[in-house]
Amino acid sequence: MALKHLLQKLEALGHWFFYMIMRIFGPYGLIAARILLVPVILCYVVFSRKINKTITVYLKHRFPGEPGWKYFSHVFRNVYAFGSILVDRGWLGVNPRVNFDGTFEGLETLSKLITEGKGVVMITAHVGNWQTAFANLGDLGAKVHAMMQYDQQLVAKHYFDLQGTTPPFEIISVDDDFGGMIDAAAALSRGEIVTIMADRYVKGSSTEVDFLGAKVRLPDAAYVLAAASAAPVVVVLSAKTGVRSYQIKVWDHFYPEYATRDERQPMLKECASRYAKSLEKYLKRYPFQWYNFYNFWKQ
């Protein structure tokens, strides 16, 4: 316990150091932090066997059959991409007036679905720079709710925690007895948007689908919620496309529905499979923006 507490203190010190660098270098703080990130990540990758072992599980699914030395390079790129996301988040936090350049591919489709008035279940994943991109969700024309576990004690602060402001979305906690489903259903009934991370399975019902050449379990909650509310599901994934730029893209959308109990499981299978296919297409384009750092295929 004492060791865990010490590690948390050291991690907090590391984040504080990066925030200080950003403030000291003013307008060049983002570049300075990105440069500093290189030796830090290199040390992690060279000296941490655990990091290499954990991330290589994903890389061997994404790049099967490559020589061992290439995986070392891939691990560095994957961890550096994640570190860059944390730097971006810190940059937004310590500089409330700055923003990044972004594009939203498929915005017209999403806007049209919102006007139907049935609410929208927007599913995403732990990829890209979702926090940076989602900082601009306030312009969609409907109130946005994010179903999530919100821990204010986390060492890696959300950008709005660093700013001391409220986020452009309302948080629905998934820690109550119903996993936030009642509040989410109420929001959809008002024609609002509910965002859900649909990649990590924690508890509840799930469906097994193919993903990058092997079976994986994905949670059913988003599709059950949408089917009960007659709301569409929209797969939205963000990607970091440059030092100060990002892209949000609608990769797919569909309406989960079933008439009888026998049709429920096939419906869930089809929905989870479509989501998995979208993720595969995303990772084909952005292979190193994947941040599920554990054995995803054993969740």
Side-chain angles (χ1 to χ4, degrees), residues 104-237:
F104 199 143
E105 188 174 330
L107 178 58
E108 290 183 0
T109 299
L110 178 58
S111 299
K112 184 178 178 182
L113 294 172
I114 292 172
T115 60
E116 292 178 358
K118 298 178 180 177
V120 171
V121 176
M122 190 161 68
I123 58 175
T124 183
H126 293 83
V127 297
N129 56 341
W130 69 273
Q131 275 210 18
T132 303
F134 281 22
N136 299 298
L137 287 181
D139 301 328
L140 291 178
K143 192 172 183 178
V144 179
H145 305 260
M147 293 184 70
M148 61 188 290
Q149 287 181 311
Y150 178 47
D151 184 358
Q152 290 181 298
Q153 303 306 314
L154 275 178
V155 172
K157 298 293 185 186
H158 297 285
Y159 76 90
F160 45 82
D161 286 331
L162 290 167
Q163 291 177 352
T165 60
T166 55
F169 49 82
E170 190 167 292
I171 295 173
I172 296 177
S173 174
V174 298
D175 294 326
D176 66 21
D177 292 339
F178 300 99
M181 294 290 274
I182 294 177
D183 289 340
L188 292 174
S189 70
R190 297 191 296 267
E192 296 168 355
I193 300 169
V194 175
T195 71
I196 301 176
M197 290 287 190
D199 50 345
R200 292 183 182 175
Y201 172 72
V202 178
K203 60 182 179 180
S205 67
S206 64
T207 298
E208 193 174 71
V209 296
D210 293 320
F211 179 63
L212 293 180
K215 298 289 184 184
V216 67
R217 285 202 301 169
L218 295 176
D220 293 332
Y223 317 118
V224 172
L225 179 65
S229 307
V233 168
V234 184
V235 183
V236 178
L237 303 173

Side-chain angles (χ1 to χ4, degrees), residues 36-54:
L36 177 64
L37 196 59
V38 174
V40 172
I41 298 300
L42 189 60
C43 287
Y44 269 117
V45 174
V46 169
F47 296 109
S48 175
R49 184 180 177 187
K50 183 178 179 182
I51 287 178
N52 281 275
K53 184 178 179 182
T54 301

